[in-house]
Amino acid sequence: MRVGFNPYISTPKNKKQQSTVSFQASAPKKIYSSKIFELEKALEAISLQFEREKYLAKLKEFAHININSRNFDGDTLITDSAKKGSRFLCELMELEKRGEIEGINWNATDQNEDNIIMIALKGTGSGRVAGFTNIMYGIKELAEAGKIDVNYVNEEEGYSLMDCALKYAGTDLFSILELKGLDAAKTCSDKPIIIQAIDRGIPTASFNSLVCHPSIDINKYNPKELVQYIGNAPSYEERYKEPDKNFLDNNTRVQYIKSINNALKLQIARQTSKYYQDNGMLDLNQIENFVNTLDYIDAINMPLNDIGENIGHFLAETYIYPDDKAGIAKVKSIIKKLRENLFSFWKEDDIGRTPLMIALEAENLVVAKMLMERMTKWEFKYINGCSIPYYFSIHTRGVNHEPAIRELINKLKPKDKEEFTRLFEKRLNSEW
């Protein structure tokens, strides 16, 4: 039998002074009361779009109650909404964003000491709340704003967010790994997080995202031992010998090992980035070595400095003289390798420049010409997604660099302008 006393319904001794003019700031003193849980139902019947004044008036009726009050189950509005998979959790985020509510403790936990991310992961029934995707969309925004601890550890139960995610997330592990500031290696287990992932036999795409996460230094896990561990994991025939581990089929083993190799390539890219940050440049030999070493799409396209430039941008900034036969041959080889490794020639840096734009602007015409000759027409301008290969469709939708490229060509000397205009028109009218 539950005792009818709620320790949360009381006025706190120490209360932060409210300063923002909002629903929560409109009353000088707040009480803790489970009546705050009537707020969702009270707002449901009112249209914010057509009855804004009525909506705000209803909010004011609850202004004297602390937004973080708990009910007899020990839940706050946000933990209760997360358990229900309620859209109200996202509505609270919007109310706070508009300044109509303030002071929400987004790190509040339930009686089990789970925060709203863990609650959403655990869910009900099939393992996750129906609104998991919507909740995670809002949580990503909270993480971006630094309002929620994405590395929270449930000390009471002895697990980190990543421990919880490996157990419950399934294919939705991507949503967790995208959270800003996440330390994907954080665990309360005596087993490293990657070993846990192998033991659970998580989906291969999720495993790749995990081992390639920016917070994971794959070298700290001894890649050779990881590959050996994958090889020694239970097979289908041996699945009953180690009941605490999921068996791995041959394809999963192959994909896991490929992911380890991908992570090693990303580590090389990060080391190159650090070298550039420390020294301010890469020479043509270093660029060639980078391109020849990394055949993993995420590594070859990885931003390498603070303004989002990648290896293609660096190549465009490396001036090649028209009579430098060795340099020309090297650039030709680099661009050919970039093409083979699915380099995104259309990718902008944070200033909005593609490698071709940089080469044209700097009048690095040897590089600009070879880039233009290898680029496809859908890397210059947006074309309806249905008319181009799927890979390019999902990455170039909405991109149109044709006007910017034409403008840069028009600024060249007359002879160069004529040559590049002719080449550009030819490339725009060719399939490859």
Side-chain angles (χ1 to χ4, degrees):
M1 179 177 177
R2 191 182 298 276
V3 178
F5 169 71
N6 188 346
Y8 301 103
I9 304 178
S10 60
T11 303
K13 293 179 180 179
N14 299 309
K15 181 163 57 65
K16 184 178 179 181
Q17 183 65 35
Q18 304 289 348
S19 57
T20 305
V21 178
S22 69
F23 140 55
Q24 282 295 305
S26 60
K29 186 177 181 180
K30 303 290 186 295
I31 66 168
Y32 280 75
S33 170
S34 60
K35 187 175 175 63
I36 196 69
F37 286 81
E38 298 175 14
L39 179 62
E40 179 179 4
K41 189 173 182 180
L43 296 178
E44 273 182 359
I46 306 172
S47 169
L48 174 62
Q49 184 176 358
F50 300 106
E51 303 175 281
R52 181 164 179 77
E53 293 303 318
K54 187 177 178 182
Y55 192 91
L56 294 176
K58 183 59 68 175
L59 279 174
K60 287 183 179 180
E61 291 181 18
F62 292 83
H64 64 293
I65 305 174
N66 191 297
I67 195 67
N68 298 306
S69 297
R70 296 180 182 267
N71 60 18
F72 283 99
D73 292 320
D75 284 309
T76 67
L77 272 179
I78 66 166
T79 61
D80 182 65
S81 295
K83 287 178 179 178
K84 296 175 180 175
S86 171
R87 295 179 62 182
F88 190 58
L89 183 64
C90 296
E91 187 173 345
L92 285 169
M93 295 177 194
E94 290 301 315
L95 285 167
E96 184 181 66
K97 195 183 298 183
R98 294 195 298 265
E100 294 160 1
I101 283 181
E102 68 172 17
I104 298 176
N105 177 15
W106 293 108
N107 289 303
T109 57
D110 64 3
Q111 283 188 333
N112 194 47
E113 298 299 324
D114 285 334
N115 67 2
I116 57 175
I117 313 177
M118 292 174 171
I119 292 170
L121 280 167
K122 289 183 176 182
T124 57
S126 62
R128 296 186 310 279
V129 295
F132 178 80
T133 301
N134 289 334
I135 289 175
M136 286 308 302
Y137 179 82
I139 287 172
K140 285 178 188 177
E141 289 192 353
L142 294 174
E144 286 287 333
K147 292 182 178 180
I148 191 166
D149 181 7
V150 297
N151 296 307
Y152 170 72
V153 172
N154 186 330
E155 301 285 358
E156 185 74 19
E157 299 296 327
Y159 48 75
S160 69
L161 174 60
M162 280 305 301
D163 294 330
C164 190
L166 283 181
K167 184 174 182 180
Y168 296 103
T171 55
D172 287 323
L173 184 61
F174 292 113
S175 298
I176 301 298
L177 293 172
E178 288 175 350
L179 293 174
K180 182 180 179 180
L182 177 74
D183 180 0
K186 194 165 191 175
T187 177
C188 293
S189 171
D190 55 355
K191 287 185 177 181
I193 207 74
I194 295 179
I195 296 296
Q196 291 182 55
I198 296 169
D199 287 347
R200 289 191 175 277
I202 68 172
T204 54
S206 298
F207 184 80
N208 189 76
S209 294
L210 172 61
V211 298
C212 292
H213 192 270
S215 66
I216 296 285
D217 181 351
I218 196 65
N219 290 309
K220 291 182 178 179
Y221 292 84
N222 194 326
K224 288 184 178 179
E225 289 185 4
L226 286 177
V227 170
Q228 186 177 7
Y229 192 82
I230 292 168
N232 292 335
S235 63
Y236 178 79
E237 294 78 10
E238 302 170 318
R239 65 191 185 281
Y240 300 112
K241 292 182 180 179
E242 299 181 81
D244 59 328
K245 299 179 183 179
N246 283 353
F247 76 89
L248 301 183
D249 57 39
N250 288 335
N251 180 63
T252 300
R253 293 176 200 272
V254 169
Q255 293 303 316
Y256 275 13
I257 293 171
K258 183 178 179 180
S259 293
I260 300 297
N261 290 327
N262 289 341
L264 286 168
K265 291 167 187 173
L266 277 174
Q267 205 65 34
I268 293 171
R270 290 172 188 143
Q271 290 166 357
T272 302
S273 175
K274 185 178 185 308
Y275 178 89
Y276 178 86
Q277 299 287 4
D278 293 341
N279 297 278
M281 66 170 293
L282 295 177
D283 61 32
L284 199 58
N285 288 329
Q286 289 170 314
I287 293 173
E288 182 180 41
N289 182 61
F290 181 96
V291 171
N292 288 336
T293 304
L294 304 182
D295 59 355
Y296 175 46
I297 186 170
D298 287 350
I300 204 74
N301 288 290
M302 178 179 167
L304 298 173
N305 64 11
D306 293 337
I307 60 170
E309 290 185 312
N310 57 34
I311 201 69
H313 294 100
F314 290 173
L315 176 64
E317 293 169 352
T318 306
Y319 190 83
I320 304 296
Y321 289 95
D323 59 352
D324 182 0
K325 293 183 180 179
I328 290 172
K330 195 162 288 190
V331 170
K332 185 175 182 180
S333 173
I334 289 171
I335 293 176
K336 181 175 182 291
K337 199 68 176 178
L338 287 172
R339 177 86 283 164
E340 292 172 358
N341 293 340
L342 294 178
F343 175 74
S344 301
F345 286 90
W346 52 267
K347 190 73 173 178
E348 300 174 354
D349 62 13
D350 295 343
I351 306 173
R353 307 171 303 172
T354 66
L356 176 59
M357 290 178 191
I358 289 177
L360 287 170
E361 188 174 17
E363 295 191 17
N364 188 6
L365 301 185
V366 170
V367 175
K369 185 176 181 180
M370 283 192 278
L371 283 170
M372 194 175 286
E373 287 173 341
R374 294 296 297 186
M375 290 171 67
T376 61
K377 66 178 182 180
W378 47 73
E379 289 171 324
F380 293 119
K381 59 186 291 186
Y382 169 75
I383 297 177
N384 185 284
C386 297
S387 65
I388 63 178
Y390 174 74
Y391 172 78
F392 293 103
S393 170
I394 59 174
H395 288 287
T396 60
R397 185 167 290 120
V399 173
N400 185 0
H401 294 139
E402 181 183 357
I405 294 171
R406 287 191 183 280
E407 184 179 346
L408 289 167
I409 290 174
N410 287 334
K411 291 180 180 179
L412 298 176
K413 296 173 183 177
K415 184 179 179 181
D416 295 326
K417 174 183 174 181
E418 182 181 348
E419 179 186 0
F420 274 86
T421 298
R422 186 168 57 250
L423 177 58
F424 189 43
E425 295 296 343
K426 179 182 177 182
R427 299 306 299 146
L428 285 175
N429 291 300
S430 64
E431 285 297 321
W432 295 95

